[in-house]
Amino acid sequence: QVQLVESGGGLVQAGGSLRLSCAVSGSSFRRYAKGWFRQAPGKEREFVATISWSGVSTDYGDSVKGRFTISKENAENTVYLQMNSLKPEDTAVYYCAAGRYGPSRYQTSYDYWGRGTQVTVSS
């Protein structure tokens, strides 16, 4: 049973930084693309960032490009999302996902999802 467990969320002031982690259980999933999505209250879940299983290819949503960085640690089967210059509009629940095909901006490309971690940015 694959599990994705997010951590690192919390409350931060605007302009601050946070690093989210996603621990993926199961060595067979190291060759899966990984992605981060977020969902703010009353809004649809949106794409944040994705990384290929090799780590060579990355892609970012327009609203986070230049501020967020996705990376992965293969030995630990962990994916990170470094978030800098945070804004109040970044407030959301952040979800990690893993997919056999990718990387992709589309939620339907991902087979497994974590439960999410809350990020709150105060103004």
Side-chain angles (χ1 to χ4, degrees):
Q1 182 87 14
V2 65
Q3 275 192 316
L4 293 84
V5 180
E6 303 95 337
S7 61
L11 174 64
V12 64
Q13 288 188 332
S17 299
L18 280 176
R19 188 176 82 154
L20 305 183
S21 300
C22 174
V24 183
S25 65
S27 59
S28 60
F29 297 95
R30 290 182 181 177
R31 286 186 172 258
Y32 278 44
K34 309 300 192 302
W36 286 96
F37 291 78
R38 67 186 182 186
Q39 187 167 20
K43 295 187 177 181
E44 294 186 353
R45 191 176 298 185
E46 67 169 344
F47 167 71
V48 176
T50 184
I51 188 167
S52 60
W53 71 267
S54 65
V56 172
S57 298
T58 59
D59 190 19
Y60 297 90
D62 292 342
S63 61
V64 307
K65 199 171 295 183
R67 300 187 296 123
F68 291 11
T69 303
I70 189 171
S71 61
K72 63 195 305 286
E73 173 54 63
N74 285 338
E76 298 177 358
N77 209 11
T78 301
V79 181
Y80 302 99
L81 184 69
Q82 178 67 44
M83 306 186 295
N84 298 328
S85 302
L86 283 161
K87 305 174 181 180
E89 50 264 44
D90 294 317
T91 295
V93 177
Y94 284 71
Y95 298 91
C96 176
R100 282 167 285 183
Y101 311 107
S104 173
R105 291 174 164 239
Y106 303 103
Q107 298 180 49
T108 52
S109 298
Y110 295 87
D111 304 292
Y112 303 98
W113 292 80
R115 292 190 173 185
T117 185
Q118 175 71 47
V119 171
T120 303
V121 184
S122 63
S123 58

